[in-house]
Amino acid sequence: MNSSWVNHAISEINADYQRSADTHLIRLSLPAFAGIPIYLKDESTHPTGSLKHRLARSLFLYGLCNGWIKEGTPIIEASSGSTAVSEAYFARLLGLPFIAVMPGCTAKRKVEQIAFYGGRCHFVESACEIYEASETLAKELNGHYMDQFTYAERATDWRGNNNIADRIFRQMASEPYTVPDYIVMSAGTGGTSATIGRYLRYQGYATQLVVVDPQNSVFFDYWQCRDATLKSGIGSKIEGIGRPRVEPSFIPAVVDDMMRVPDAASVATMQWLETMLGRKVGASTGTNVWGALRLAAQMRDEGRKGAIVTLICDSGERYLETYYNPQWVEQNIGDLTPWQAEIKRLCA
């Protein structure tokens, strides 16, 4: 192995990290929830525009330090888009070829961003086909299949070292409630929920980790029954979260509670949040915030005060042709009216 190239590659990634400030923590103060502030950690401000920038950095460092990635190694990843965008960025930084294996229905903007960073896309018909196609490409090209769904939970140091959980608590240190009652997190690989859940226990925080799961995802059912063979024949319509199979990186034992979120509720909440922030966010953020609103209403009904933290996963600019297109929403998600009314009721 060319150790000088690997040392240089690791230095390049670490230098890129030092050039990036931490993401903002936005306080959403809603009059309906007096004494229950909701905080949004804005992961859309990463250089590649999503939470997956953290994961991609960790996966590259993990692959380099394990000796899996060498000079010239083609990088292959199975992705619904955002992880592939971020990995394409780091592959370009290191001068490595990159191929994203993704469903053909992936948002056009994500495909364009992958191409912008010099990567190319290999499309498959459904989300269920991305794993085998990625393994096949890696073998054919003598490349490295990054496999975020297996390695996400182990590539990040969950004990601290500036991981997302550590940053949340550092940023909450001057807030009225320094230890939030809940952290709400949706799951794609399960890596971020694993990191947060482990960190909460390691530090001894009383914060509850609540994972919100969209329709057609098996994580919620797996959390309840622990049957790792569960599969869904239909992929999630909320890009970036939910999976048709139980992913190795999803660790159910670190999750305190889960909530199933209808797709229409996610999209309605995403659109409502635009009116609160003055900018667009992705549908997975709608899933997160729907869960946070439900928990805030529960706390209010119980007469409790305290904080709730969740994430802005990515920007809504990637989804102008889908979640922000009324015709697409009507055909693929359905009627949002009942959920818009429910959000209005929750926030009244």
Side-chain angles (χ1 to χ4, degrees):
M1 182 173 69
N2 186 345
S3 59
S4 63
W5 183 86
V6 171
N7 291 339
H8 170 73
I10 292 171
S11 296
E12 281 290 289
I13 292 174
N14 287 333
D16 180 82
Y17 170 72
Q18 294 301 329
R19 292 193 294 270
S20 299
D22 194 27
T23 59
H24 301 295
L25 190 67
I26 300 167
R27 184 165 64 187
L28 191 65
S29 297
L30 301 172
F33 301 118
I36 311 172
I38 296 173
Y39 296 84
L40 310 173
K41 187 156 179 60
D42 188 3
E43 296 293 284
S44 72
T45 59
H46 282 294
T48 54
S50 83
L51 164 68
K52 300 301 185 179
H53 193 85
R54 295 179 187 269
L55 173 59
R57 180 195 299 124
S58 295
L59 287 169
F60 267 93
L61 289 172
Y62 193 67
L64 287 162
C65 293
N66 282 333
W68 299 339
I69 300 174
K70 306 175 180 65
E71 186 173 8
T73 299
I75 305 298
I76 294 91
E77 183 62 290
S79 173
S80 62
S82 289
T83 302
V85 172
S86 298
E87 288 185 7
Y89 169 92
F90 285 105
R92 185 177 76 168
L93 183 70
L94 304 184
L96 300 175
F98 177 78
I99 302 172
V101 179
M102 57 210 321
C105 61
T106 302
K108 181 181 176 183
R109 179 61 181 149
K110 291 181 181 178
V111 175
E112 292 171 346
Q113 287 180 300
I114 292 166
F116 173 78
Y117 290 122
R120 68 180 179 90
C121 299
H122 176 90
F123 295 107
V124 294
E125 192 168 324
S126 74
C128 304
E129 300 173 41
I130 60 175
Y131 314 98
E132 184 177 353
S134 297
E135 292 173 358
T136 300
L137 275 174
K139 289 176 183 176
E140 290 176 352
L141 300 173
N142 194 26
H144 172 56
Y145 171 28
M146 199 71 94
D147 195 1
Q148 59 168 321
F149 299 107
T150 295
Y151 297 109
E153 59 89 8
R154 64 195 75 172
T156 302
D157 184 353
W158 49 268
R159 291 167 295 183
N161 194 27
N162 286 316
N163 69 32
I164 191 168
D166 179 62
R167 297 311 306 167
I168 286 171
F169 280 89
R170 287 176 184 267
Q171 289 176 306
M172 289 292 291
S174 298
E175 298 301 318
Y177 305 100
T178 57
V179 176
D181 284 55
Y182 299 102
I183 294 178
V184 180
M185 182 67 217
S186 49
T189 62
T192 303
S193 61
T195 297
I196 292 172
R198 287 164 170 164
Y199 181 84
L200 293 175
R201 285 151 183 74
Y202 181 67
Q203 296 293 341
Y205 291 124
T207 304
Q208 298 282 293
L209 171 63
V210 178
V211 171
V212 284
D213 202 33
Q215 290 176 228
N216 303 318
S217 173
V218 301
F219 287 144
F220 179 84
D221 294 326
Y222 173 54
W223 181 76
Q224 290 186 315
C225 70
R226 298 299 201 269
D227 180 0
T229 67
L230 289 174
K231 285 184 170 58
S232 169
I234 307 172
S236 170
K237 292 181 180 178
I238 306 300
E239 275 196 33
I241 60 172
R243 300 302 307 159
R245 71 172 196 181
V246 177
E247 303 296 354
S249 280
F250 182 75
I251 311 298
V254 305
V255 177
D256 296 297
D257 201 0
M258 287 195 68
M259 188 185 303
R260 176 97 72 193
V261 180
D263 291 345
S266 295
V267 177
T269 307
M270 172 201 79
Q271 294 181 359
W272 169 82
L273 191 58
E274 181 185 7
T275 68
M276 296 291 106
L277 299 177
R279 60 189 177 91
K280 292 177 171 60
V281 298
S284 58
T285 300
T287 310
N288 289 343
V289 176
W290 171 262
L293 291 176
R294 290 287 303 274
L295 290 169
Q298 178 182 312
M299 291 174 67
R300 178 183 61 193
D301 294 344
E302 294 171 354
R304 296 161 53 200
K305 307 292 184 185
I308 300 171
V309 177
T310 190
L311 305 183
I312 296 176
C313 299
D314 62 2
S315 167
E317 303 306 318
R318 294 176 170 180
Y319 308 105
L320 298 181
E321 297 178 352
T322 54
Y323 304 120
Y324 287 98
N325 180 329
Q327 289 75 33
W328 187 94
V329 170
E330 182 180 356
Q331 293 171 6
N332 293 274
I333 303 297
D335 184 13
L336 303 186
T337 306
W339 303 103
Q340 292 166 338
E342 179 64 10
I343 294 166
K344 187 174 181 179
R345 186 192 69 80
L346 286 173
C347 298

